[in-house]
Amino acid sequence: MRFTKLNYCQYLLSSQINYTLTNLAEHLEHISHDKINRYLNNKKLAPRILWDNVKDLIEINNNAYLVFDDTVIDKRYAIEIEPSKRQYSGNEHGVIQGIGLVNCVYVNHEIGKFWVVDYRIYDPDRDGKTKIEHVTDMLQNLVYHKKLPFKAVLIDTWYATNNLMLYIDGLGKYYYCPLKRNRLVDDTSGQEDYKRIELLSWEEKELESGKAVKIKKFPAAKKVKLFRVTVSTDRMDFIATNDLSQGSTNVVQKVCKERLQVEEFYRELKQLTGIESCQCRKGCIQRNHIACAILVWLRLKDLAYKTGQTIYQIKHGLLSNYLVQQLKRPDVPMFIA
């Protein structure tokens, strides 16, 4: 029997708890653990495979958003895994051992759907690239090669660098991103020195419609619109956009909420595909495992959209089907004296 990526994806989709290669080999006839290991170690599944599978599923929209963000695939108990390194995890609010995954999510907010369209493994020891460079590469590829229509890019403070913001602006696209409170800006058109964003004064009208500011080290004539947005009772964000026609803090708040779609993706990916469960040391196996896990998420999400179910109902429904069959024809019949 020949082992393929379809076999491995089917395993990740079907299994509920155990996602190890040993468990897979124990449930496949005529396929050994070594054969599976050799396949995953010799095959190269690049991010391109994701695009090949998602391009016909996307419901495109000229007003769509691109969301760039990253997560850490937890490997805290396996420090010898090749692509893993010590890095900050927003989910853990601290530094852990893991594999960095930089992602691009396409959000069609008008119909409430989203799709992951590209990703990169953060492995600077191997390719020398920063997360910002990975985002720039993906953005360039989406605009010039995939030609995916969208209106704006949503990023968090980590990616809100001068170079990336200006690059997005140069593409003729809008960006919306929170700026750190110590970022230096000028809202006086050069009459006063740059000051930290948190020290700016806000008039009532500016709270409703934002204010034009110049960010330090931006080109002289390049201004952005800055908004003070209430995120929660104890959190206030300062959102910058190059859409100077934007005049509503409420609209900006709604736009920024679309960035939360990526958090939904992370939660589903980690809970339902076993993406964090592979403990193989080889980097190639880890990369292929990640690629297959994302393809499994894509399949589950597509089914969820088509059936009106949640992705959890589809995955856990496999156990429900099993229980129905066991109640009808149990493999281990119950006996009571």
Side-chain angles (χ1 to χ4, degrees):
M1 179 180 173
R2 182 167 168 262
F3 187 81
T4 68
K5 60 180 177 289
L6 180 60
N7 299 126
Y8 193 65
C9 287
Q10 188 63 59
Y11 169 59
L12 297 182
L13 190 153
S14 303
S15 184
Q16 298 288 331
I17 300 175
N18 192 333
Y19 298 92
T20 64
L21 302 190
T22 302
N23 185 56
L24 172 56
E26 289 174 352
H27 290 82
L28 276 180
E29 294 182 357
H30 312 301
I31 297 291
S32 67
H33 175 277
D34 289 343
K35 186 172 184 178
I36 300 170
N37 191 284
R38 281 195 302 271
Y39 172 82
L40 291 174
N41 195 36
N42 294 325
K43 191 72 174 178
K44 184 178 181 182
L45 302 179
R48 173 72 193 186
I49 194 174
L50 171 60
W51 177 248
D52 291 339
N53 284 272
V54 74
K55 62 184 179 182
D56 294 327
L57 303 179
I58 304 172
E59 297 181 49
I60 61 175
N61 189 311
N62 290 330
N63 294 320
Y65 302 133
L66 286 184
V67 181
F68 289 99
D69 198 66
D70 62 89
T71 189
V72 178
I73 299 171
D74 195 336
K75 301 292 181 184
R76 71 182 75 190
Y77 302 115
I79 61 175
E80 295 184 8
I81 289 177
E82 288 180 359
S84 70
K85 65 193 304 293
R86 298 279 294 173
Q87 53 195 300
Y88 181 81
S89 168
N91 186 53
E92 297 293 330
H93 302 289
V95 176
I96 65 170
Q97 186 79 18
I99 299 175
L101 186 65
V102 186
N103 308 278
C104 177
V105 174
Y106 187 83
V107 179
N108 186 335
H109 58 94
E110 293 183 0
I111 60 174
K113 295 181 180 180
F114 67 93
W115 300 264
V116 176
V117 295
D118 206 350
Y119 72 93
R120 295 290 186 274
I121 304 296
Y122 175 57
D123 189 6
D125 295 336
R126 178 175 174 269
D127 57 29
K129 289 190 175 183
T130 65
K131 292 179 181 180
I132 298 292
E133 289 172 327
H134 282 308
V135 168
T136 304
D137 288 346
M138 287 190 282
L139 186 55
Q140 187 178 59
N141 187 269
L142 286 162
V143 171
Y144 295 112
H145 298 285
K146 296 182 173 70
K147 299 185 184 301
L148 198 60
F150 65 94
K151 180 180 181 180
V153 177
L154 312 183
I155 50 180
D156 67 11
T157 53
W158 179 265
Y159 296 100
T161 64
N162 286 5
N163 288 340
L164 184 55
M165 293 164 72
L166 291 172
Y167 181 75
I168 296 169
D169 187 77
L171 293 174
K173 304 294 183 180
Y174 295 132
Y175 57 75
Y176 287 83
C177 55
L179 301 182
K180 292 182 178 179
R181 292 173 174 271
N182 62 355
R183 195 79 171 262
L184 297 177
V185 299
D186 171 30
D187 63 344
T188 65
S189 298
Q191 296 180 22
E192 298 179 9
D193 292 337
Y194 287 99
K195 65 182 67 173
R196 294 158 62 104
I197 286 179
E198 62 184 355
L199 299 179
L200 292 176
S201 59
W202 293 78
E203 298 179 358
E204 190 64 31
K205 184 178 180 180
E206 293 174 333
L207 292 174
E208 297 177 357
S209 57
K211 65 164 68 186
V213 302
K214 181 184 177 301
I215 300 175
K216 189 173 184 179
K217 296 186 178 179
F218 257 43
K222 187 67 68 176
K223 288 191 175 183
V224 303
K225 203 74 176 288
L226 188 68
F227 296 83
R228 198 172 80 169
V229 175
T230 300
V231 178
S232 61
T233 54
D234 58 350
R235 178 181 164 187
M236 185 80 66
D237 277 353
F238 296 94
I239 309 296
T241 178
N242 60 334
D243 182 2
L244 300 181
S245 66
Q246 180 59 259
S248 171
T249 299
N250 290 335
V251 172
V252 172
Q253 188 176 37
K254 291 178 181 178
V255 171
C256 291
K257 282 185 178 179
E258 297 296 337
R259 197 161 56 85
L260 297 178
Q261 302 283 21
V262 76
E263 299 299 331
E264 181 178 333
F265 164 60
Y266 294 152
R267 184 170 60 254
E268 295 170 346
L269 182 69
K270 293 180 179 181
Q271 292 179 357
L272 300 177
T273 70
I275 194 170
E276 293 184 315
S277 299
C278 181
Q279 299 303 318
C280 297
R281 295 183 181 182
K282 293 293 184 179
C284 185
I285 297 179
Q286 287 290 340
R287 289 172 180 274
N288 290 335
H289 174 78
I290 290 169
C292 289
I294 295 175
L295 289 177
V296 167
W297 175 87
L298 179 65
R299 173 60 177 155
L300 290 171
K301 200 67 174 178
D302 184 51
L303 286 172
Y305 286 148
K306 289 178 178 177
T307 62
Q309 301 179 79
T310 69
I311 192 171
Y312 293 93
Q313 287 173 324
I314 294 173
K315 176 81 175 191
H316 297 155
L318 299 175
L319 282 178
S320 178
N321 295 335
Y322 163 78
L323 180 57
V324 170
Q325 293 302 317
Q326 287 301 305
L327 291 175
K328 288 180 179 179
R329 292 178 292 275
D331 292 332
V332 181
M334 180 63 189
F335 175 77
I336 300 177

